[in-house]
Structures are given as structure tokens and as C-alpha cells.
């Protein structure tokens, strides 16, 4: 079922028409009271016109900006009115208001397992709007509740496809590849809400953390990984500095070192550059080779 334009006319001209009918009814009733002969006919006709005017008045309704009124005639879908302002339609039609404004909600914090089997807590913010009022009203029972449940289901499914932390540089993870994850989540939710006439504008992770029972252990692992990565960078830089120092000494001819002394110098420089604590200098007052 797709949305169709419902029948309606401008409300202001119809108001004047209904008022005119009411005036005609009053005039006929007054005429019937003044003239004795056609009194029954005139009064009856006036009452009938009054009833018609009152019945037509039931067809007036208002449409606010970014709003649609879904019309049903004897249970059958009769179209949707999106024109703003005062409108008039068949008085037999029932009407249901559907907001077309952009809405958002934040899911509850879900506890799921990532692709590595680690329990995590995750939540998301979903921005959505109704684009097909007929599908939203007639294809699902409660489209707002449908959006909430299906979004959380899609979030749970998406979280199970990625690890919390990236083990390989090329593989996306929940923590490091935000744009990829958000796009996947949006597409996953959109696929589930297509039948409800809902368009998902944006979906973003709003909360991401390890579950409480493993949070401390995972924090220690992250700290260990950070220390190892920092050590690798320090060693890489220290080796480059030692090589540069040996090259400078050789090119400038400051001192000639044999292989044993070069090894000792490399060892001392690496200790100085890679140590956790500041080193204490030792002054050699003898010859180059001790003495």
C-alpha cells in the first residue's frame, strides 16, 4: 500500500458556503412562520438545510506544517492530505494525524557480544522521518514502537559483526572505524523499516564500552598494547639515532673506533635512549680504553 493524495478542498470558501446554507435555513423557517399556508414545508426544508450544514461542518479539519492527515472512508484508505491550513473533505471520512517531522530517539544500552565474543555495552541515536503515511499507518500496527524495536534489533545484529578493537589495520572495528560502523548501522535499520514507510536519515553510536565484568581486564590489555607500541617507536628512533651518531663520527673523523668499542657505544646509547629512568653519567678520566 502506497500513499495517495486524498480529496480535500480549501476550508475558508467552504465555511462561507456552510454559513450561507445556515442563513437559507433560517430564512425558510422564518418564512414558514410568517406565512401560514406553506409553513410545514418551509420549516421542514429549513430544518433539513440546517442538518445538512451541521453535517458538512464535520468535514472541516486542520493540517499543520510537516503533517499529514490519513483519510479512511468506511474502513477503506481514501488518501492523505498534506496541504497546510483549514481543509474540508467528505464528512464520512475518518482522519488520523501523522507527523512528518524529523524525529530521533536514543536506544537503551544493549549488552551484546562482539565478533570476538567479548561482552560489550552499546547504544545508538537514530534520526528518522515518515515519508509514506499509508505504509506507516496500515502496514504496521504501531510505527513508532516498530521503529524503536527494529532499530535496537539492527544495532544488536550490527555489533555482532565487528570486534570492539581492531586487530588488523585493514579490518574495521567498533571503536576505530566510526563512519563505516555508522553507515552500516543506518543501512541495517533502513532495511528493516522500509515496510513501515520510514526513512532513516542518520544512525550513530552514542555509547560503546566493555561490559563491567571484563572492563578492568580489557583496560589492562589496552595499556599493555599501548606500552608495547610506545616501546617499538622508542627502539626504532634510538637505533636511527645511534646509526646517525656513528656515521657522523666516521664522516667527520672525530675518533676511530674498533668494532668492540662501537658495540660498547651502541649499547650505552641504547641504554640511555631506551631506559625508563634518567641515566647517571660516568666520567672516564683515563684513556679512551680505560686506564
Amino acid at each position: 500500500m502506497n500513499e495517495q493524495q486524498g480529496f480535500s478542498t480549501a476550508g475558508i470558501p467552504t465555511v462561507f458556503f456552510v454559513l450561507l446554507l445556515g442563513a437559507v435555513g433560517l430564512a425558510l423557517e422564518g418564512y414558514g412562520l410568517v406565512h401560514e399556508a406553506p409553513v410545514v414545508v418551509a420549516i421542514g426544508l429549513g430544518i433539513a438545510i440546517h442538518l445538512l450544514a451541521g453535517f458538512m461542518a464535520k468535514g472541516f479539519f486542520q493540517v499543520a506544517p510537516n503533517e499529514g492527515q490519513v483519510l479512511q472512508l468506511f474502513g477503506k484508505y481514501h488518501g492523505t492530505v498534506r496541504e497546510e491550513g483549514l481543509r474540508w473533505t467528505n464528512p464520512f471520512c475518518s482522519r488520523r494525524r501523522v507527523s512528518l517531522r524529523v524525529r530521533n530517539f536514543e536506544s537503551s544500552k544493549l549488552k551484546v557480544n562482539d565478533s570476538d565474543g567479548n561482552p560489550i555495552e552499546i547504544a545508538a541515536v537514530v534520526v528518522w522521518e515518515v515519508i509514506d503515511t499509508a505504509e506507516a499507518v496500515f502496514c504496521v500496527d504501531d510505527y513508532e514502537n516498530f521503529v524503536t524495536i527494529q532499530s535496537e534489533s539492527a544495532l544488536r545484529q550490527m555489533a555482532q559483526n565487528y570486534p570492539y578493537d581492531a586487530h588488523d589495520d585493514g579490518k574495521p572495528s567498533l571503536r576505530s572505524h566510526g563512519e563505516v560502523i555508522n553507515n552500516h548501522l543506518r543501512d541495517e535499520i533502513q532495511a528493516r523499516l522500509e515496510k513501515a514507510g520510514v526513512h532513516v536519515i542518520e544512525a550513530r553510536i552514542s555509547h560503546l564500552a566493555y561490559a563491567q565484568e571484563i572492563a578492568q581486564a580489557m583496560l589492562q590489555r589496552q595499556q599493555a598494547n599501548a606500552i608495547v607500541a610506545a616501546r617499538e617507536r622508542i627502539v626504532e628512533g634510538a637505533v636511527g639515532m645511534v646509526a646517525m651518531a656513528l656515521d657522523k663520527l666516521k664522516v667527520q673523523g672525530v675518533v676511530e673506533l674498533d668494532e668492540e668499542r662501537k658495540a660498547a657505544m651502541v649499547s650505552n646509547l641504547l641504554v640511555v635512549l631506551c631506559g625508563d629512568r634518567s641515566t647517571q653519567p660516568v666520567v672516564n678520566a683515563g684513556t679512551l680504553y680505560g686506564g
Side-chain angles (χ1 to χ4, degrees):
M1 179 176 293
N2 296 323
E3 180 179 316
Q4 302 174 1
Q5 185 174 358
F7 166 76
S8 69
T9 60
I12 300 300
T14 312
V15 168
F16 289 109
F17 179 74
V18 172
L19 292 176
L20 180 61
L21 282 180
V24 171
L26 287 175
L28 287 174
E29 291 178 2
Y31 178 83
L33 293 175
V34 173
H35 299 80
E36 299 180 356
V39 60
V40 177
V41 176
I43 293 178
L45 186 59
I47 293 175
I49 293 178
H50 270 152
L51 291 177
L52 177 61
F55 175 72
M56 290 186 64
K58 293 181 61 179
F60 289 106
F61 62 98
Q62 291 182 348
V63 181
N66 286 326
E67 179 183 286
Q69 291 279 355
V70 179
L71 307 180
Q72 279 184 272
L73 181 61
F74 304 124
K76 184 179 179 181
Y77 175 57
H78 200 57
T80 300
V81 179
R82 294 196 180 199
E83 292 86 352
E84 301 175 8
L86 182 64
R87 308 295 297 177
W88 182 88
T89 189
N90 188 338
F92 286 109
C93 287
S94 61
R95 299 175 294 273
R96 176 174 175 179
R97 173 187 172 275
V98 177
S99 175
L100 304 177
R101 298 179 179 90
V102 175
R103 286 179 273 184
N104 68 84
F105 81 96
E106 184 173 9
S107 69
S108 57
K109 294 180 181 178
L110 305 178
K111 186 176 180 180
V112 299
N113 292 334
D114 66 1
S115 62
D116 293 335
N118 299 319
I120 62 173
E121 292 180 352
I122 189 170
V125 173
V126 181
V127 182
W128 60 280
E129 62 180 348
V130 174
I131 59 174
D132 193 305
T133 57
E135 290 183 341
V137 173
F138 300 112
C139 291
V140 294
D141 186 47
D142 183 347
Y143 68 91
E144 293 183 349
N145 187 51
F146 187 81
V147 169
T148 301
I149 294 177
Q150 292 300 322
S151 297
E152 291 186 351
S153 175
L155 176 61
R156 186 183 300 273
Q157 180 66 33
M158 184 277 301
Q160 294 175 350
N161 294 329
Y162 296 96
Y164 181 92
D165 274 316
H167 305 298
D168 301 325
D169 294 337
K171 186 176 180 181
S173 67
L174 296 173
R175 194 166 68 94
S176 61
H177 293 72
E179 200 64 31
V180 175
I181 300 301
N182 292 332
N183 291 336
H184 184 183
L185 177 60
R186 182 195 61 203
D187 296 340
E188 191 79 22
I189 298 175
Q190 182 63 66
R192 295 168 184 258
L193 299 181
E194 200 76 41
K195 65 183 68 175
V198 171
H199 171 61
V200 179
I201 300 174
E202 184 182 22
R204 290 191 173 274
I205 303 297
S206 61
H207 173 79
L208 180 64
Y210 281 113
Q212 186 175 2
E213 59 266 25
I214 67 165
Q216 187 63 32
M218 290 302 175
L219 178 60
Q220 293 177 354
R221 191 182 74 171
Q222 290 176 357
Q223 291 174 343
N225 292 336
I227 292 174
V228 170
R231 287 294 181 187
E232 290 178 354
R233 294 295 300 274
I234 290 173
V235 171
E236 181 181 351
V239 171
M241 294 175 67
V242 170
M244 182 178 64
L246 292 175
D247 290 341
K248 289 285 186 179
L249 291 174
K250 182 177 180 181
V251 170
Q252 296 180 9
V254 177
V255 64
E256 292 291 337
L257 298 176
D258 57 19
E259 295 300 323
E260 181 180 354
R261 295 304 174 181
K262 285 183 181 180
M265 179 180 177
V266 169
S267 177
N268 292 335
L269 285 175
L270 288 178
V271 169
V272 171
L273 295 174
C274 299
D276 289 334
R277 302 176 182 177
S278 59
T279 56
Q280 299 294 328
V282 177
V283 179
N284 186 1
T287 64
L288 179 63
Y289 299 101

